[in-house]
Amino acid sequence: ILGLKLRLLGLVEKIWKLGVDDPRRVVHGLKVGISLTLVSLFYYMRPLYDGVGGTAMWAVMTVVVVFEFTVGATLSKGLNRGMATLLAGSLAIGIHWIANQLGDQADPIIRSTAVFLLASVATFSRFIPIVKTRFDYGVSIFILTFSLVSVSGYRVEELVVFARHRLYTIAIGGSVCMLISMLICPNWAGGDLHQLITRNMEKLACSLERCVSEYFEDSECLDPKEEPCQGFQGYKCVLNSKATEETLANFARWEPAHGCFSFRHPWKQYIKIGTVMRHCAYCVEALEASINSDNKAPEFIKKHFREVFMRLSSHSSNVLRELAAATKTMRKSSNLDLLVEEMKMAVGELQSSLRYFPHQLIPPPIEATEDKRAPAHAPPTHVPFMEVLPLVTAASLLIEIVVRIEGLVDAVDE
Amino acid sequence: ILGLKLRLLGLVEKIWKLGVDDPRRVVHGLKVGISLTLVSLFYYMRPLYDGVGGTAMWAVMTVVVVFEFTVGATLSKGLNRGMATLLAGSLAIGIHWIANQLGDQADPIIRSTAVFLLASVATFSRFIPIVKTRFDYGVSIFILTFSLVSVSGYRVEELVVFARHRLYTIAIGGSVCMLISMLICPNWAGGDLHQLITRNMEKLACSLERCVSEYFEDSECLDPKEEPCQGFQGYKCVLNSKATEETLANFARWEPAHGCFSFRHPWKQYIKIGTVMRHCAYCVEALEASINSDNKAPEFIKKHFREVFMRLSSHSSNVLRELAAATKTMRKSSNLDLLVEEMKMAVGELQSSLRYFPHQLIPPPIEATEDKRAPAHAPPTHVPFMEVLPLVTAASLLIEIVVRIEGLVDAVDE
């Protein structure tokens, strides 16, 4: 029983943490509650209830189904639902009229055939990429309304009234959702996307810097009190945020102007930036692997390269940070060009220090006499190349990262 | 007008291709059509229609909403919907009973409060990770049914009958969906996942092999007639399939035993394999970048390393192919250990050929006199180290890839 109690407590704590981490989640819950209560007023007030012919439940249903966490998602679903209902309703009434003209015998056959054909075609159309990303929900509501209205025509006397009521109630439910989601503490998908991108840039900068400084054991730079996700595993967030970025960008497209974003804000550009960032992150991943590899370079070589590596990594993460800041404020940074130049210079330094690399493999004279690590079959004054391989790889990956950061700079210059 | 016609033709062609590429899509469309037509029979047959009190439309709705492309998704939605309706219905009837006891004045207030509270809490619970991945749809239906039934209680006389009808019709619609999706050409999410994973392994093998052979311009190995996705861009599919894998694994969990998969098949293992594969793919990405870099290693060095590189890459892609085959048949391959040993030996060869690498930077005597590429300030007999940097990096990445493939071998040994 105690074990159960502890587990329950752990669960409660986790749930509590969900709310504390992002209070917007709690607010979202309350918003849904408010909308539902508002809509259910239709049931309690006679005139309202009669006004929509007792089909008030469609409004309730709309609220439950349409209300989503971000404004963009709510708008996209609400508009999809509204348009699909209108379209499918008119089509179904057309079919109803035809079926009525042809007499009682043919009636159910025509209705069934129409439902079968339209449902099949519409379902298939959901595989078309543009429909899938933007109108998937609309198509499903289209099928739903069409089958409902056209089939009901067999029983319901005044089909037009029935269809109109469905449209009204859905419009009421949908607009309650959209208004509440926009007016009470709105969660803009666009804002979230913007934040995600800038935060990912910062994370990338952090992990790049820490990766290198950890290798050279520069412990003064490491502040253990930093947030864990800000640590050098941050690039993993960048690797995994593809799906989130795409969903948010898709919803952001539906949102009206808000804050510093205009209506036709180039959201696609964010996806592009995200892709380029993931490109960088792949390299950081490989960099981390080569740094954590078992082959450790001898100390004297590490010391020799420490300066150049550290400078390059700090310059390139400065560029990333500046980019993040520029994206955050959506202004062109005046510093950026300077920083990029500095980064390029650091690359040049690294390259020229690598130019005579093979000669540096000869350890300094004092150590050379005591060096026991060099295997007997290697020429006595040379460090085996395998030992420095990770260092060389890291250098080359850093240079590649710089190239990709330059690509990122271009992408941010929308 | 001609432009419009051409664009329309292009669209039609694209849609046609969608169907030809995967005929299951067309079949899926037809299946939805059939289910809808079956369910709409309820409207045409008097006894059936009266049997569910004229609420036959819930069945139509269930079919439209529940029928998904894979069996797993359909089952998950259908079961979620059924359970949620049952639970919410009972709860709502309980609230209805309490509201009735407390008299007419308090009635709407109690109902509204209950709806508000439950909707808020349930909406918030959708942020809990396990609810989000597995029961998201169920919670939404729970809110829906609860609000509908509890609010309707204010108008509908026989609430229990109303709730029971809703449950019946949903059960009918849901079982029609589940049966048809399982019996007529089923698309198992598990099978899809299995195929995706094995195909990705093959793609990874292909791109690894081609990447290296393209670098050494070994054109005899390149067959231009191969499928484009089988080409050396194949690793990109691996990088991007994270979301698909997770969705499929999530749905596969709901599926009953089918084909060679038992009910509790370890689907989670597939996600793990996918993650390890993506790990390999990151390295392949970096490898490709270093191979396509501007610094071209001199021919004589390339020639020197060609053998070792090619052997290692072909051995490691053989391991991947063998793994794919083993996963496909779900049998332990007897060859695998041998292939892994061969791969390790190839790594050893590469390592030992790199050991004396710096000495090899001196070009063969004939070329040395004609070599104009070596910059003046470098020692005349040495190739600048920057030129061979990509080669060295590639070697180190290949070794890293081998380490990761070994991880993959472990992961596949479920």
Side-chain angles (χ1 to χ4, degrees):
Chain A
I1 298 173
L2 198 76
L4 197 79
K5 219 172 169 181
L6 273 175
R7 277 183 64 188
L8 212 73
L9 228 91
L11 190 72
V12 169
E13 201 176 325
K14 256 188 214 155
I15 294 174
W16 183 257
K17 208 169 160 291
L18 271 182
V20 174
D21 279 355
D22 195 349
R24 295 181 306 167
R25 290 174 178 153
V26 183
V27 175
H28 174 63
L30 295 178
K31 276 157 75 180
V32 174
I34 293 172
S35 319
L36 261 184
T37 319
L38 262 182
V39 163
S40 62
L41 281 183
F42 274 83
Y43 269 92
Y44 305 134
M45 295 190 198
R46 183 101 262 173
L48 285 180
Y49 185 79
D50 291 342
V52 291
T55 56
M57 63 167 182
W58 296 110
V60 174
M61 195 172 293
T62 306
V63 170
V64 175
V65 181
V66 163
F67 213 120
E68 293 276 335
F69 186 60
T70 56
V71 176
T74 309
L75 280 178
S76 125
K77 276 194 144 181
L79 295 178
N80 258 313
R81 193 180 171 101
M83 288 186 307
T85 305
L86 188 64
L87 213 78
S90 348
L91 202 64
I93 288 173
I95 298 280
H96 173 69
W97 184 80
I98 296 177
N100 262 354
Q101 301 291 310
L102 293 176
D104 271 5
Q105 278 295 314
D107 196 341
I109 296 169
I110 288 178
R111 285 179 205 276
S112 303
T113 325
V115 167
F116 175 77
L117 281 181
L118 252 126
S120 304
V121 170
T123 305
F124 179 71
S125 84
R126 292 170 86 168
F127 292 108
I128 302 171
I130 189 167
V131 175
K132 197 172 189 173
T133 49
R134 291 222 237 162
F135 305 110
D136 192 60
Y137 184 67
V139 173
S140 120
I141 292 298
F142 176 84
I143 305 176
L144 180 58
T145 307
F146 180 78
S147 345
L148 273 188
V149 174
S150 87
V151 166
S152 305
Y154 195 64
R155 298 266 174 224
V156 177
E157 294 301 301
E158 290 168 59
L159 191 69
V160 182
V161 179
F162 174 79
R164 214 170 51 204
H165 281 158
R166 184 172 154 85
L167 188 62
Y168 284 169
T169 41
I170 283 182
I172 291 167
S175 39
V176 166
C177 281
M178 293 193 240
L179 284 177
I180 288 203
S181 88
M182 269 196 283
L183 298 180
I184 306 182
C185 317
N187 306 314
W188 302 102
D192 278 7
L193 178 61
H194 191 78
Q195 218 177 23
L196 180 73
I197 293 279
T198 52
R199 213 180 277 160
N200 273 352
M201 270 185 214
E202 280 163 11
K203 276 181 194 164
L204 203 59
C206 243
S207 45
L208 181 58
E209 205 169 26
R210 292 200 55 175
C211 207
V212 173
S213 66
E214 208 140 283
Y215 181 54
F216 291 102
E217 278 146 344
D218 188 50
S219 48
E220 55 198 303
C221 262
L222 302 179
D223 183 1
K225 270 171 252 157
E226 264 183 276
E227 286 171 55
C229 199
Q230 292 284 50
F232 83 122
Q233 298 278 308
Y235 67 91
K236 285 196 179 150
C237 306
V238 181
L239 288 178
N240 294 334
S241 58
K242 181 177 192 293
T244 323
E245 276 167 27
E246 276 170 9
T247 324
L248 284 179
N250 193 24
F251 288 143
R253 207 175 298 165
W254 293 87
E255 289 176 354
H258 60 276
C260 40
F261 309 107
S262 57
F263 173 54
R264 290 206 166 274
H265 196 74
W267 298 115
K268 271 196 177 171
Q269 212 61 36
Y270 283 82
I271 295 188
K272 226 183 255 171
I273 296 178
T275 312
V276 181
M277 265 204 304
R278 231 163 294 122
H279 240 68
C280 290
Y282 296 150
C283 263
V284 177
E285 212 267 352
L287 178 69
E288 207 229 310
S290 80
I291 272 173
N292 287 335
S293 92
D294 294 333
N295 289 311
K296 293 284 174 226
E299 270 315 311
F300 76 96
I301 289 186
K302 258 184 159 181
K303 214 180 260 168
H304 183 267
F305 282 106
R306 190 173 165 280
E307 271 302 290
V308 204
F309 265 78
M310 295 290 284
R311 203 170 314 138
L312 178 53
S313 84
S314 79
H315 278 309
S316 39
S317 47
N318 278 348
V319 171
L320 280 176
R321 288 218 182 84
E322 186 67 28
L323 269 184
T327 319
K328 205 180 262 166
T329 55
M330 296 213 283
R331 271 201 209 96
K332 246 190 124 108
S333 155
S334 49
N335 251 334
L336 191 61
D337 289 338
L338 195 71
L339 286 170
V340 171
E341 277 316 308
E342 276 182 357
M343 178 174 77
K344 279 185 187 162
M345 262 168 59
V347 171
E349 271 173 48
L350 179 62
Q351 283 178 332
S352 66
S353 81
L354 278 174
R355 189 147 309 196
Y356 301 111
F357 184 68
H359 299 288
Q360 286 145 1
L361 288 179
I362 306 162
I366 315 129
E367 275 187 62
T369 50
E370 302 168 342
D371 202 351
K372 285 162 199 156
R373 276 166 304 181
H377 54 275
T381 48
H382 268 61
V383 173
F385 189 68
M386 276 312 291
E387 286 195 7
V388 290
L389 190 55
L391 190 95
V392 173
T393 311
S396 136
L397 286 172
L398 264 179
I399 295 172
E400 178 67 25
I401 289 173
V402 168
V403 173
R404 293 186 177 184
I405 288 178
E406 281 171 37
L408 188 60
V409 173
D410 292 343
V412 174
D413 282 353
E414 282 127 308
Chain B
I1 298 173
L2 198 76
L4 197 78
K5 218 172 169 183
L6 273 176
R7 276 182 64 187
L8 213 73
L9 228 89
L11 191 71
V12 169
E13 200 177 326
K14 256 189 214 155
I15 294 175
W16 183 257
K17 209 170 158 291
L18 270 181
V20 174
D21 278 356
D22 194 350
R24 295 181 306 167
R25 290 173 177 153
V26 182
V27 175
H28 173 65
L30 295 179
K31 276 156 74 181
V32 173
I34 293 172
S35 320
L36 261 184
T37 319
L38 262 181
V39 162
S40 62
L41 281 183
F42 274 82
Y43 269 92
Y44 305 134
M45 295 192 198
R46 182 103 261 172
L48 285 180
Y49 186 79
D50 292 342
V52 292
T55 56
M57 64 166 182
W58 297 111
V60 175
M61 197 171 292
T62 305
V63 169
V64 175
V65 181
V66 163
F67 214 120
E68 293 276 335
F69 186 61
T70 57
V71 177
T74 310
L75 280 178
S76 127
K77 276 193 144 182
L79 294 178
N80 258 314
R81 193 178 172 104
M83 288 187 308
T85 306
L86 189 64
L87 213 78
S90 347
L91 202 63
I93 288 174
I95 299 282
H96 173 69
W97 185 81
I98 295 175
N100 263 355
Q101 300 291 310
L102 294 176
D104 270 5
Q105 279 295 313
D107 195 342
I109 297 169
I110 287 177
R111 284 177 206 278
S112 303
T113 326
V115 166
F116 175 76
L117 281 181
L118 252 126
S120 304
V121 170
T123 305
F124 179 71
S125 82
R126 291 169 88 169
F127 292 109
I128 302 171
I130 189 166
V131 176
K132 198 173 188 173
T133 49
R134 292 221 237 163
F135 305 111
D136 192 60
Y137 184 67
V139 173
S140 121
I141 293 298
F142 176 84
I143 305 175
L144 179 58
T145 306
F146 181 78
S147 343
L148 273 189
V149 175
S150 87
V151 165
S152 305
Y154 194 64
R155 297 270 174 221
V156 177
E157 296 300 301
E158 290 168 59
L159 191 68
V160 181
V161 179
F162 174 78
R164 214 170 51 204
H165 280 159
R166 184 171 153 86
L167 188 62
Y168 284 169
T169 40
I170 283 182
I172 291 166
S175 38
V176 166
C177 282
M178 294 192 240
L179 284 177
I180 289 202
S181 87
M182 271 196 282
L183 298 181
I184 305 181
C185 318
N187 305 316
W188 303 102
D192 277 8
L193 178 61
H194 190 79
Q195 217 177 25
L196 180 72
I197 292 279
T198 52
R199 211 180 279 159
N200 272 353
M201 270 185 214
E202 280 162 11
K203 276 180 194 165
L204 204 59
C206 243
S207 44
L208 181 59
E209 204 169 28
R210 293 202 53 177
C211 207
V212 173
S213 66
E214 207 140 284
Y215 181 54
F216 291 103
E217 277 146 344
D218 187 51
S219 48
E220 54 199 302
C221 262
L222 302 179
D223 183 0
K225 271 172 253 158
E226 264 182 275
E227 287 171 56
C229 201
Q230 293 284 51
F232 83 123
Q233 299 277 308
Y235 68 91
K236 284 194 182 153
C237 306
V238 181
L239 288 178
N240 293 334
S241 58
K242 182 178 191 289
T244 323
E245 277 167 25
E246 276 170 9
T247 323
L248 284 179
N250 192 23
F251 288 143
R253 208 174 298 164
W254 292 89
E255 289 176 353
H258 60 276
C260 39
F261 309 107
S262 57
F263 173 53
R264 290 204 165 276
H265 196 72
W267 297 115
K268 272 197 176 168
Q269 212 60 37
Y270 283 83
I271 295 189
K272 225 181 257 170
I273 296 178
T275 314
V276 181
M277 266 205 300
R278 231 162 293 122
H279 239 68
C280 293
Y282 296 149
C283 263
V284 176
E285 211 267 354
L287 178 68
E288 207 229 311
S290 79
I291 273 173
N292 287 335
S293 90
D294 294 334
N295 288 310
K296 293 285 175 226
E299 270 315 311
F300 75 95
I301 290 186
K302 260 184 158 179
K303 213 181 260 167
H304 183 267
F305 282 105
R306 190 172 165 280
E307 270 301 292
V308 206
F309 266 79
M310 296 290 284
R311 204 171 313 139
L312 179 53
S313 84
S314 80
H315 278 309
S316 38
S317 48
N318 278 345
V319 172
L320 280 176
R321 288 218 182 84
E322 187 66 28
L323 270 183
T327 320
K328 206 179 262 166
T329 54
M330 296 212 284
R331 273 203 206 93
K332 246 190 123 112
S333 154
S334 48
N335 252 334
L336 191 59
D337 289 337
L338 194 72
L339 286 171
V340 171
E341 277 316 308
E342 276 183 355
M343 179 174 75
K344 278 185 187 162
M345 263 169 58
V347 172
E349 272 173 50
L350 179 61
Q351 283 177 331
S352 66
S353 81
L354 279 175
R355 190 148 309 196
Y356 302 113
F357 184 66
H359 300 287
Q360 286 146 2
L361 288 180
I362 305 163
I366 316 130
E367 275 187 65
T369 48
E370 303 167 340
D371 203 352
K372 284 163 200 157
R373 277 166 304 180
H377 55 275
T381 47
H382 269 61
V383 172
F385 190 68
M386 278 310 293
E387 287 196 7
V388 290
L389 191 55
L391 191 94
V392 173
T393 311
S396 136
L397 286 172
L398 264 179
I399 295 172
E400 177 68 26
I401 288 174
V402 167
V403 173
R404 293 185 177 186
I405 288 178
E406 283 171 35
L408 187 60
V409 173
D410 293 342
V412 173
D413 282 352
E414 283 127 307

